[in-house]
Amino acid sequence: MKTGELVKQIRTEKGIKAKVVYDGLLSRSMYYKYESGLVETTADTFLYILNRLNIEADEFLRMFSVMDKCNNEYINYRDDLNNAYRLENLIEIKALEKKISKEYQESGLVRFYNLMLIATAMRKKLGKTAESVLNERKEILHYLMRSTKWGHYEYGLFIDAVFMFDSSSIEKVFQNHDWNDSHEGEDMKLDNLRVKALCQSILVFMKSNKTDQVNYYYTLLDKIKVSSNNIYALGNKNFFEGLKTINNGDYEQGLKTISEIFSLYQELGLDDLYKEHVAILQELLSVQLQKSKSRKRRKA
C-alpha cells in the first residue's frame, strides 16, 4: 500500500472533498496519480495534506502499518472467497463470511464490510432457497455511486459483485460514470480492471438481450487504449470481439476468432484467462441455444 491510497481512504471516510485537501498543493492530475498509488509526494506537501485531514503524523504511521497488514489479509480473503464461489463451495463461503465479519468488527474498514456483503450474497445465491440479494446489491450500488471516478478498489469491487447485478443495476451504477482517463496506459492494473468491468457488463446485457446497451458498451470498450504489451487487457478485448460476432449471429467467424485467441493463451501459458473465457463462451452459447429454442416454440 502507498501513502496516497491511505490518504484517499481517510479523506473519503471523513467526507472531505479532494479540492479541500489538495488546493494549492497538487494539480488534479497529480493528486489522482497520488491517490492511485502511482507517485509519492514531497515530505512538506505530505505534512500539509495530513494537516488538512486533521491527522497527526504518528497517527497516520500507525494507521498505515495496520492498513498494510489489513490489505494483505483483505486480498487473501477476497481471493479465497472468489475461488470458493467459482467452485460453488457453500461450506467454505459460510466459513469465510464469518471470518470477514469478525475482521470488519475489529478493523471497522469499509472494504471488509463490502466484502462481507459479497460473501453474504454468495451464500444466498448458492443456498437451497435462493434468497434475495436485493439488500446487499443496494448497499454495494450505493457505495459505488458515491464517485464517478473510480480507482483500483472500486472497479475490483464492481467485478466481484457483478454476479448479483441485473442489467438495470449496471445501467444505474454507470449512469454518470466518468470513463475518461488522462493517464490511460500508465497504470496497467487500472486498464485491466476497466476493461474487465466493461466486459462483465457487456456479458450481462448480452444475456438480457439488451442490444442497444451491448452496442454502447462495446463502443466504450473500443475507446479504452491499452499498451501493446498488456496481454491481459488485449486478450479480453479480442475475446469479446469474438463474442460480439457470435452474438450478431455469425457463429463460424466468431468461433474462429476465439479459437485463435485460445491458441495464443495456451502458447503464452495464460491458463487462468483461458479457463475464464472458456466458461464465459460455454455460458453464452447455452443462453443463445435457449433463446433459439424459445423462438422456435413461439413460431410453432
Side-chain angles (χ1 to χ4, degrees):
M1 167 170 273
K2 301 293 181 68
T3 60
E5 293 174 292
L6 179 54
V7 164
K8 180 182 180 181
Q9 181 171 318
I10 295 170
R11 179 177 66 74
T12 53
E13 287 180 354
K14 285 176 171 277
I16 303 173
K17 292 184 178 181
K19 181 175 175 57
V20 174
V21 176
Y22 299 110
D23 189 36
L25 296 177
L26 298 174
S27 66
R28 183 174 180 178
S29 62
M30 187 54 72
Y31 80 63
Y32 174 77
K33 284 184 177 182
Y34 176 60
E35 290 195 342
S36 297
L38 297 175
V39 297
E40 286 291 353
T41 187
T42 60
D44 56 340
T45 299
F46 174 65
L47 292 174
Y48 274 115
I49 290 170
L50 293 188
N51 188 45
R52 292 179 182 185
L53 290 171
N54 295 314
I55 294 283
E56 294 179 0
D58 60 341
E59 183 183 6
F60 183 89
L61 289 173
R62 181 186 59 78
M63 292 173 70
F64 186 83
S65 177
V66 171
M67 277 297 300
D68 200 38
K69 182 185 174 200
C70 285
N71 190 51
N72 291 332
E73 290 175 346
Y74 170 80
I75 291 169
N76 291 334
Y77 280 133
R78 181 190 176 206
D79 289 345
D80 290 345
L81 191 60
N82 285 324
N83 188 53
Y85 188 68
R86 250 188 324 269
L87 298 174
E88 298 186 0
N89 190 337
L90 184 57
I91 294 173
E92 179 67 9
I93 287 172
K94 286 180 177 179
L96 286 167
E97 182 184 10
K98 289 180 180 178
K99 290 178 181 178
I100 295 166
S101 175
K102 183 180 178 182
E103 194 68 48
Y104 169 65
Q105 290 169 6
E106 291 176 355
S107 69
L109 294 174
V110 174
R111 64 177 59 192
F112 281 110
Y113 179 73
N114 288 335
L115 194 62
M116 182 180 68
L117 291 174
I118 290 171
T120 301
M122 287 177 174
R123 171 178 55 77
K124 288 181 176 181
K125 281 277 188 180
L126 295 179
K128 292 181 180 179
T129 56
E131 298 175 66
S132 169
V133 297
L134 183 61
N135 289 336
E136 290 77 21
R137 181 199 300 171
K138 283 173 65 176
E139 289 209 51
I140 296 292
L141 284 174
H142 176 72
Y143 179 86
L144 289 173
M145 290 174 66
R146 295 194 310 179
S147 173
T148 59
K149 196 80 173 178
W150 292 0
H152 296 179
Y153 174 71
E154 290 80 13
Y155 281 115
L157 177 61
F158 172 82
I159 291 164
D160 290 345
V162 76
F163 72 91
M164 69 172 93
F165 293 164
D166 54 16
S167 57
S168 60
S169 299
I170 292 176
E171 285 187 82
K172 186 176 181 181
V173 78
F174 287 137
Q175 186 175 7
N176 298 310
H177 189 70
D178 183 2
W179 289 102
N180 295 318
D181 183 10
S182 57
H183 310 293
E184 208 164 53
E186 296 179 17
D187 185 347
M188 189 176 289
K189 183 178 179 180
L190 185 62
D191 289 342
N192 290 343
L193 290 167
R194 294 171 75 221
V195 166
K196 187 165 185 178
L198 281 170
C199 289
Q200 293 287 348
S201 301
I202 288 168
L203 193 59
V204 171
F205 291 128
M206 277 184 175
K207 290 188 285 187
S208 304
N209 208 26
K210 302 277 188 178
T211 306
D212 290 343
Q213 287 86 345
V214 168
N215 292 334
Y216 173 67
Y217 277 74
Y218 264 114
T219 301
L220 292 174
L221 184 61
D222 288 341
K223 288 180 179 178
I224 295 182
K225 306 302 178 186
V226 297
S227 170
S228 59
N229 63 350
N230 190 344
I231 303 300
Y232 181 88
L234 290 173
N236 269 296
K237 292 184 75 171
N238 292 334
F239 172 73
F240 268 80
E241 278 301 314
L243 287 190
K244 182 180 182 181
T245 305
I246 291 173
N247 196 57
N248 290 337
D250 191 345
Y251 284 79
E252 184 177 350
Q253 182 57 47
L255 290 173
K256 181 182 177 183
T257 300
I258 289 174
S259 178
E260 292 172 355
I261 295 165
F262 283 176
S263 295
L264 179 63
Y265 289 169
Q266 292 175 317
E267 185 182 327
L268 296 174
L270 301 173
D271 295 338
D272 289 343
L273 195 56
Y274 172 74
K275 290 175 184 177
E276 179 186 337
H277 285 175
V278 166
I280 289 173
L281 178 61
Q282 289 174 336
E283 184 181 12
L284 183 63
L285 290 176
S286 176
V287 170
Q288 294 281 12
L289 182 60
Q290 290 300 321
K291 288 179 182 177
S292 177
K293 287 179 179 179
S294 296
R295 284 194 295 267
K296 287 179 180 178
R297 282 196 295 267
R298 284 198 296 269
K299 287 180 181 179

